[in-house]
Amino acid sequence: MNMQTAPDRNILASIGLPSAFDYALADSLIQRGSIREPWLRELIAQLSAAVQQGHSCVPLHELRDELASSAAHDLGTLDTIEHVRERLRASDLVGDPGAKSPLICDGKNLYLRRYFEYERRIAEDLLRRACGNPAALDSAGLREQIETLFPTNAATTPNWQRVAAVLALRQNLTVILGGPGSGKTWTVLRLLVLIAQQNLQPSILVDSALESPKRPLRIALAAPTGKAARRVSDSLQRDLAELPVSDELRASLPREATTLHRLLGMRPHSSKPRYDRANPLPLDVLVLDEASMIDLPSMARVLDALPRDARLILLGDPDQLASIEIGNVLSELRVFNLHNRYSPKAAANIFAMTGSAAEITSAMPAQFGDAVVTLTYSHRFSAGGSIAKLVDAVRNGEADRACEILRQGDSIVWHEQDQNDALAQALQIAAQHYAPLQIATTPERALHALAHFRVLGALREGPWGTRALNAAIARTQLDLKAWQPLPAHYPSAPLLITENDHALRLYNGDSGVLLADAQQRLRAWFADAQHGVRGLSANQLPAFELGYAMTVHKAQGSEYDTVLVLLPPQPHPLLTREWLYTALSRARNELIVIGSETVLRAAIGSPAQRWSGLAAQITRVFDAADRSDASAP
């Protein structure tokens, strides 16, 4: 089975010309090799440029076609992919998988060895957790616990949240996928209850040698950013009180999430974490939220540090924007189970524990697909409505349907302004929606007003960037002319933190507002799950910027009652289908879009694609293990 991502457009062309850094890397490598021909220098530079754009590898046919399109390179005998592969392997710079050469050719793709090794380590680890002798489940008490924790939802059959619970108890890897409001965090908290109950009570696993009772489970939740970790922590503290469990069990569950950097014990000015294979994390269960944002090196480091027998639960939306760094791990895992179909053994467990019949697949490796479940019901858009339909149309690449919904849908306003009027329209709408923020007299009211509305853009710099837009909105709010400077601090100014400060519990992406306290001192106020709000001196703050408008990357994982999405006047490489999907799905109740149909259709027609071999590596490792088992006496 070939899981290799297959881009349908010329990604190398969209990456642009290699930089001076890329050519410097190529020159450095070529000086160490036996072949010093210009085509090899260009090929390495193209590979380096692709890595800078988030690709972990480049298919050989793409590299060959790119070289062939350049008149500056006489390809000679490189007229076929086989010839390219032969010439590469003639160089001591390029080796097959397992070699120590700086470049690796796996037959279809060319890698810098570091990223090939990241993918190999991740593939081996995930397969071991997913396929390591799945446990059979057989307990009427367990089924009753699942029914209690996961009430029946008539909107979906089967109840995929219950299915996720069953899968999480079968093996040490569970990948829970779902769109906005699908209940991923709600589901995982109840999964942890089941796992903790399994640990505290006599075993519910057939033929299990697990002893009971045991020590409390060591559970951690982590996310790639401080903002995401804070959101998970808030959800945990809100939902824990509602769980129908004993106080003893509730006390065993985590109440806060951390960042990956803090989880691994990353140290300033050092790339070596405190926890690694030699010093594993003291954990039994690890939950990683917003996994679509986790890059390839970070995932490899986490798996290296996680004990071999620990459970790993990944949560995320693979249709959202991927990591800004290298890789697209969650999307590569999704391809093993696109439609919630399971092996006969897993399907039998699902039926026994939930009473629902799951579709069966014969695809290989089915055991790995048994670790993946997609939650299909959105509680955020439970009533259907235009926003839900629009998000669905964009996700599926249906431009005609999306435009029709934008024009006719309720709770959606589409301003098809031209370039000259769009910014003025955006400023007028922003001024109207930020009016409650301007007149708020308490931190609670100010933060509530700020959480109600947000402007989202694609770019940070330039006339259509969020930096310029923030300044323009601020001048409108303060009634300042374009030539008048903005004050550094002023009452009702929304703040967007841009760097982490663990001592102050402020993280990149956190939102706050400046407002005077009872002594008329200007302070920065932030929402606090325990105390409602907390205030800090404005002079204490880490780096921040105005937060009227923010990029969609910064908004990922957040939601607002009303969202204004401002499109630039022309199509842009950053405006992909995933960008638009993420932007539109931040809105709960009302959506305002300003931009032309041309730009909108261009974004929908431009799915973000990254070259990666992770899925192919998982299949290769599984096939190798399968052959080894078959040949064993």
Side-chain angles (χ1 to χ4, degrees), residues 555-605:
Q556 198 161 349
S558 301
E559 56 183 84
Y560 309 95
D561 292 331
T562 302
V563 167
L564 166 59
V565 178
L566 179 63
L567 304 176
Q570 301 295 332
H572 190 280
L574 289 179
L575 265 70
T576 62
R577 182 185 301 170
E578 289 74 11
W579 178 91
L580 188 60
Y581 166 85
T582 306
L584 301 177
S585 59
R586 299 310 93 200
R588 277 191 295 253
N589 303 320
E590 182 183 8
L591 176 65
I592 305 166
V593 178
I594 299 179
S596 71
E597 181 175 344
T598 299
V599 174
L600 189 84
R601 285 182 175 274
I604 295 173

Side-chain angles (χ1 to χ4, degrees), residues 19-217:
S19 67
F21 169 85
D22 301 320
Y23 283 113
L25 174 63
D27 290 337
S28 173
L29 291 178
I30 284 179
Q31 291 301 316
R32 297 160 49 186
S34 58
I35 297 178
R36 301 185 179 183
E37 299 179 23
W39 67 267
L40 182 58
R41 177 179 186 263
E42 185 68 25
L43 183 145
I44 296 173
Q46 292 283 359
L47 173 60
S48 175
V51 168
Q52 305 307 314
Q53 295 296 318
H55 305 278
S56 62
C57 60
V58 178
L60 290 181
H61 72 269
E62 293 286 342
L63 288 166
R64 196 271 170 199
D65 292 348
E66 183 69 16
L67 291 177
S69 66
S70 173
H73 299 286
D74 180 10
L75 296 183
T77 60
L78 303 178
D79 54 338
T80 68
I81 299 302
E82 284 299 324
H83 289 156
V84 174
R85 191 178 294 116
E86 289 173 7
R87 293 291 299 277
L88 285 173
R89 286 173 173 163
S91 167
D92 49 6
L93 293 178
V94 184
D96 292 329
K100 299 299 183 182
S101 54
L103 303 175
I104 296 293
C105 179
D106 71 349
K108 295 181 179 180
N109 303 315
L110 187 66
Y111 289 84
L112 295 174
R113 180 164 60 90
R114 173 187 303 178
Y115 301 106
F116 179 87
E117 289 300 317
Y118 285 145
E119 289 188 349
R120 181 191 60 77
R121 284 156 47 192
I122 291 171
E124 291 178 351
D125 185 281
L126 294 182
L127 273 168
R128 185 181 66 252
R129 296 182 197 277
C131 303
N133 298 320
L137 308 178
D138 184 16
S139 167
L142 173 60
R143 178 166 179 168
E144 183 178 339
Q145 291 168 358
I146 292 175
E147 290 175 351
T148 300
L149 288 167
F150 299 90
T152 300
N153 183 352
T156 59
T157 304
N159 182 327
W160 296 115
Q161 292 172 325
R162 290 185 178 182
V163 171
V166 175
L167 299 178
L169 292 172
R170 291 184 77 250
Q171 65 266 317
N172 283 346
L173 172 68
T174 313
V175 182
I176 302 176
L177 310 176
S182 58
K184 297 183 291 294
T185 307
W186 185 93
T187 299
V188 82
L189 181 58
R190 283 151 179 81
L191 294 187
L192 296 179
V193 170
L194 285 173
I195 294 171
Q197 286 174 333
Q198 169 191 329
N199 184 69
L200 295 174
Q201 299 174 356
S203 178
I204 58 176
L205 303 183
V206 174
D207 298 328
S208 174
L210 299 177
E211 297 179 0
S212 179
K214 309 175 204 171
R215 60 167 171 75
L217 284 176

Side-chain angles (χ1 to χ4, degrees), residues 482-504:
W483 51 268
Q484 292 179 289
L486 285 173
H489 305 105
Y490 61 90
S492 78
L495 308 177
L496 183 66
I497 301 299
T498 58
E499 70 177 18
N500 296 332
D501 190 319
H502 298 295
L504 294 177

Side-chain angles (χ1 to χ4, degrees), residues 381 384-388 390 405-406 408-414 561-563 587-593:
F381 303 131
S386 299
I387 297 178
L390 176 60
I405 295 169
L406 277 164
Q408 300 179 4
D410 55 2
S411 69
I412 297 177
V413 179
W414 185 15
D561 292 331
T562 302
V563 167
R588 277 191 295 253
N589 303 320
E590 182 183 8
L591 176 65
I592 305 166
V593 178

